[in-house]
Structures are given as structure tokens and as C-alpha cells.
Amino acid sequence: MPTIEHNGNSYNCDEDGFLLNGMDDMNDDWIDYVKGVEGIAELTDEHHKVIDALREYYKKNGIAPMVRILSKTTGFPLKRIYELFPSGPGKGACKMAGLPKPTGCV
Amino acid sequence: MGYDPANPMADRITDIGPPHYSKFHPPVVAKNKGKWLWHEITQPGVLVHKAESGDECWTVRVGAARLISTELIYEMCDIADAHCDGFLRFTTRNNVEFMVDDKAKVQPLLDDLASRGNKFPVGGTGAGVTNIVHTQGWVHCHTPATDASGVVKAVMDELFDYFTSMKLPAQVRIALACCLNMCGAVHASDIAILGVHRKPPMIDHSRITGVCELPLAISACPLGAVKPAKATVDGKEIKTVKVNNERCMFCGNCYTMCPAMPLADPDGDGIAILVGGKVSNARSAPKFSKLVIPFLPNTPPRWPETVAAVKNILETYAGDAKKYERIGEWAERIGWEKFFEKCNIPFTIKSVDDYRLAYDTWRTTTQFKYTNAIK
């Protein structure tokens, strides 16, 4: 199992850099680490709003929200989400929020 | 400037789409686009199209393995450079077509292709067996129940004569999909080769929490066999799922959604054969393919059982069907009970539909023929 070390923390990850143990392992240092690998220069309140929305929805429902629901709850159109997270809501935002890797025919 | 990982959005080009196809038209195609009068197949693998202007476009179609190296693509480019002013195209069944504007240029092209061993077999036109539309298999996918490239090679080796000739009643489209996601054309092909599982998924409770969105796995099941459950991992109670094995028909959808529910199994997995599909509207409406052989084992590297089954169906059809009749039209005309009898395929309960709208597929008439297919 690959491990990522960052700021003294160590995280169990899969080969795509998603947390294997889910949100239990996730903390502010993880956000800081993903920020580096996802090409995000500065973390803003808008980033946190997306992450909080994802985490809240996941805790409540056990799944990541549909893209339309994420847009509706955060008020950010998809275009803005891509500006915040260049890899997109799945590979970028869900990874940062500690959600499981998206599955299906992706 | 090269890509700068520290500044990934700098100089990023996006949303430009594919290049416009008109950039790649051979001159004779560009000139006569939309003005073709008629066409003719002059020999297997060679077509001529006549334009209003009197121009002719000669096309030579060659088989390809679909999964090919850059070396082979370069070799195709060399052939196109030598004979076709650098132009070529790929068909919707992954054959390659070389086009020339003069009949005199056809034979040198054919000679060149023939001189390269069996890399570029000419054929795939008219009432024959053309290329097999297929999928990833064990080369690249994580949900297959069989291989794609290997089975396709084994089948096409056996049916090679039908690729280079046009002696069947109508064209026969063979397709393969390595699981019942059916990427490609198996659901609507004359003969379809389909990878199937026969065992329910194994649930990895130790991983499921971190990698799986449980409601997705539950809703992925077409039969409602996956239910929420609790399990104890390392003394800790976790949320997980359970599978009602009696209800599971091994489709593998839950594994697609949830990596902790693998179901591939070397002995359980194998191949089902479906026949009688078509997509054209010629004479009869498009049809779905229907299951006739529920299971054949995976026997790499040559899959002899699958190859024999496909060849048997093809040759029985070739000997019995009328001109222009596709396999599905033939089977419906003679009756499916006669199809099973003529092909000497044992009819099993697996061919009797039992999924939701199954009733319409049962026989609600006294019209049938006595056959030896049901003992």
C-alpha cells in the first residue's frame, strides 16, 4: 500500500492519490498536500466551500453528490468549479475532501 | 515551451475539438464530395466509386488488429505515401482503406500489400465476414470475463477465408465484448461473443469503507440482490453490503461501482454466444442479438470451443439461408426451434428470458415445428 508523507503526517493512498481509508485520515495537511499536486496556487474560501459541501453531503448520504447538486448547493456553476479545481470536481475536489475515488466508466 | 508542472494552467490549450475531416480528404474525394453516382465491388476488398465528373475513386480495404503499434501505423503511412499521396482512412469496423484515383494504381498497391506477409489482408467487403468489433479484454480493462484480442485472433484465423471472399448469403457481422457492459456492438450483431461470469461477487469488508460509496453499489444491482449490512472489521463495526446469492446473476455492475466487490473467477468466467442482431433497416427492422449458447469455457490462447461454435453457426447459416438474408432474418423465418436443430445446439433454460419483460419472448401460439432440439 503506497504511503504519502506530508508535513510529518503519513497517508495510505491508492495509485491515483486518493485516500484509502476515507475521510477518517483526512485533515488540513491533506488539503495542503492535494493543493500542491492538483496545481492550485492559493486555497480560498470558495475552495473550502466546495470541500465542506462534498464532505457534508457524503456524511449524510454515503455518496458524492451529482455535479448538478454540487453546483446548486455551493452556487458555483461547473465552470467555476473547474477554475477552482483544474482537474474537476471528481479528481480534484473529491480527492481533496477525502472522498472515495469516483468509480464506473470514468 | 514545454509543460510546466509547477504552473499547469499556463499556455494550456483546450476545447479545440478534433481537426476538421476535410483537411484529410484525398484530392479525388475532396473534389467529388456529395457527387457520387454509383459504386461497385470489383473483387473482395476492392471498391470503385464513380462520380458525376467521371472521376473514379478506387478503395482497397485491408484488415487490421485494431490494437496496433506505432511501427505498424508508420508502415501504413509508408504505403499511403507510396501509392495514395499520403492519404488513408479507418472504417467503423477498424479496417484500413487505401484510396487511389486511377484503376492502374490498384494492382501495384495490391502487390505492395501482398508483399508484406499477412500484415495487410485485403477483404472485408460484400457478403463476407469483415473485421470483428471488439473491446479491451485482459489487455487493459478491470471488469472483463474473457479476453478480446486473443479470442478475436483465434476466430478470425478460422474464418479468414470468409474475410477474403464474398460467398455468404449476406454480410455477417461478428462482435465481441469481454463483459456485459457490451462496449461496442454485441447486442446487435449477427454473431456476438460475450464474456460472462457465473459466480457472485466476493465482498472485501476491510477495504469497502474507504473505496466504495455503498448506495451506488446497492443501486447498481438490476435485481436488488445487494443490500446494506453491517460487518465487524478489527473489532469495529462498519457499514458494508451483503449479496443475496440466490438473486445474483453475476452481471458485475456492483464491481464497476465498488472496487471491493470483485467477481472475476478463472473457472466461473467464460463466453456466451448470441446471434441474430442487426442494425440496418434493410428489408427488416434492426434486431437485438439473442442468447443461444449460455456458456463456453475460457480456454486461452486459442479458445477452440468458441471458435468451433462460431464457425458452426456461420456455416449452417451459409448453407441454409436465402440470398440477402441476415442470420437473424434466417432464424426468424425458419423458427428458432429449427435454428437450434439445424445448428445442433442444445437448447437450455438459460435461453428462456426471465427478466422483467420476459413474457413477450415466450410463445403465445400453437404454431411451432417439431424438432429434436428439446429432448
Side-chain angles (χ1 to χ4, degrees):
Chain A
M1 195 185 296
T3 313
I4 286 170
E5 305 281 343
H6 187 73
N7 289 354
N9 292 301
S10 87
Y11 302 97
N12 288 330
C13 292
D14 65 11
E15 71 279 9
D16 293 316
F18 278 79
L19 284 176
L20 272 176
N21 297 335
M23 282 201 284
D24 297 349
D25 286 2
M26 187 255 182
N27 53 31
D28 284 349
D29 282 328
W30 174 254
I31 293 181
D32 186 61
Y33 163 73
V34 178
K35 176 183 143 205
V37 295
E38 290 297 318
I40 297 165
E42 200 58 53
L43 218 55
T44 64
D45 287 348
E46 287 181 307
H47 288 99
H48 283 291
K49 192 173 175 187
V50 173
I51 292 168
D52 291 344
L54 286 172
R55 289 169 60 83
E56 197 177 319
Y57 191 94
Y58 186 80
K59 275 182 188 155
K60 192 171 160 205
N61 300 295
I63 59 171
M66 315 288 140
V67 168
R68 281 161 174 260
I69 294 174
L70 184 63
S71 287
K72 211 169 179 179
T73 51
T74 58
F76 301 143
L78 188 57
K79 190 164 180 287
R80 182 70 191 139
I81 292 174
Y82 269 91
E83 284 163 9
L84 298 168
F85 298 94
S87 308
K91 198 170 159 291
C94 281
K95 183 194 277 186
M96 193 178 263
L99 267 55
K101 183 160 67 182
T103 54
C105 296
V106 286
Chain B
M1 68 230 111
Y3 173 70
D4 176 13
N7 195 1
M9 300 302 276
D11 301 320
R12 179 167 171 265
I13 299 167
T14 182
D15 296 318
I16 56 169
H20 197 272
Y21 53 82
S22 64
K23 284 186 185 173
F24 309 102
H25 281 329
V28 65
V29 173
K31 181 185 165 197
N32 297 295
K33 185 166 177 278
K35 295 167 192 161
W36 301 103
L37 287 178
W38 50 263
H39 74 277
E40 190 183 325
I41 304 171
T42 59
Q43 69 185 77
V46 181
L47 302 103
V48 56
H49 286 76
K50 187 81 170 180
E52 288 170 4
S53 63
D55 288 350
E56 286 179 354
C57 178
W58 290 76
T59 303
V60 175
R61 182 177 297 170
V62 301
R66 193 180 76 94
L67 192 68
I68 55 179
S69 65
T70 45
E71 279 93 344
L72 188 68
I73 297 173
Y74 277 126
E75 192 172 343
M76 291 171 184
C77 294
D78 290 341
I79 296 168
D81 284 338
H83 299 274
C84 319
D85 303 323
F87 294 96
L88 63 79
R89 67 183 290 269
F90 284 75
T91 71
T92 55
R93 297 190 80 84
N94 307 300
N95 291 305
V96 187
E97 289 185 346
F98 297 100
M99 282 155 289
V100 293
D101 53 11
D102 188 348
K103 188 179 182 183
K105 296 177 181 174
V106 175
Q107 198 54 46
L109 171 58
L110 290 172
D111 293 342
D112 185 355
L113 292 167
S115 74
R116 295 166 190 261
N118 218 359
K119 275 190 203 166
F120 302 102
V122 176
T125 54
V129 174
T130 183
N131 215 348
I132 299 182
V133 167
H134 66 279
T135 55
Q136 308 257 11
W138 297 331
V139 171
H140 196 70
C141 189
H142 69 297
T143 65
T146 187
D147 190 28
S149 300
V151 187
V152 165
K153 164 72 173 152
V155 171
M156 279 313 280
D157 278 351
E158 189 67 26
L159 303 183
F160 187 70
D161 283 348
Y162 294 100
F163 182 82
T164 54
S165 66
M166 305 188 291
K167 55 192 179 189
L168 294 172
Q171 71 267 42
V172 171
R173 300 287 184 244
I174 304 178
L176 177 145
C178 44
C179 81
L180 44 63
N181 261 5
M182 296 195 173
C183 299
V186 289
H187 66 296
S189 291
D190 292 289
I191 302 178
I193 304 165
L194 179 65
V196 290
H197 301 285
R198 290 187 302 167
K199 294 188 180 178
M202 297 158 280
I203 303 168
D204 186 347
H205 296 301
S206 64
R207 288 178 66 221
I208 200 163
T209 307
V211 300
C212 181
E213 301 168 48
L214 300 179
L216 295 188
I218 293 160
S219 60
C221 184
L223 294 176
V226 183
K227 289 270 184 273
K230 296 218 188 298
T232 308
V233 176
D234 300 334
K236 204 172 135 194
E237 189 175 74
I238 58 145
K239 283 185 191 166
T240 181
V241 294
K242 66 177 176 206
V243 174
N244 180 348
N245 290 350
E246 292 295 307
R247 285 190 80 89
C248 179
M249 61 174 176
F250 331 119
C251 69
N253 274 347
C254 53
Y255 176 61
T256 300
M257 299 314 295
C258 174
M261 300 178 75
L263 78 164
D265 179 275
D267 300 319
D269 295 355
I271 282 171
I273 305 284
L274 294 79
V275 305
K278 70 193 271 278
V279 291
S280 85
N281 283 281
R283 294 169 298 281
S284 65
K287 298 178 205 301
F288 284 127
S289 341
K290 294 177 171 55
L291 180 91
V292 295
I293 303 179
F295 183 78
L296 296 165
N298 270 331
T299 40
R302 299 299 296 178
W303 279 269
E305 298 88 353
T306 300
V307 170
V310 171
K311 193 177 188 196
N312 169 40
I313 294 169
L314 181 77
E315 296 194 332
T316 309
Y317 153 78
D320 198 64
K322 293 178 178 170
K323 197 174 183 189
Y324 303 129
E325 209 168 38
R326 299 285 293 265
I327 288 188
E329 295 166 331
W330 166 64
E332 288 183 5
R333 174 173 62 82
I334 64 175
W336 282 96
E337 65 268 38
K338 280 288 174 189
F339 170 89
F340 280 90
E341 183 180 69
K342 283 177 192 280
C343 294
N344 198 24
I345 296 171
F347 182 86
T348 69
I349 190 150
K350 305 286 184 202
S351 283
V352 180
D353 196 348
D354 57 359
Y355 185 72
R356 292 186 186 184
L357 303 177
Y359 182 82
D360 288 349
T361 67
W362 303 340
R363 192 186 302 266
T364 49
T365 169
T366 54
Q367 296 183 358
F368 71 99
K369 298 182 189 88
Y370 287 98
T371 72
N372 64 12
I374 301 170
K375 298 286 195 295

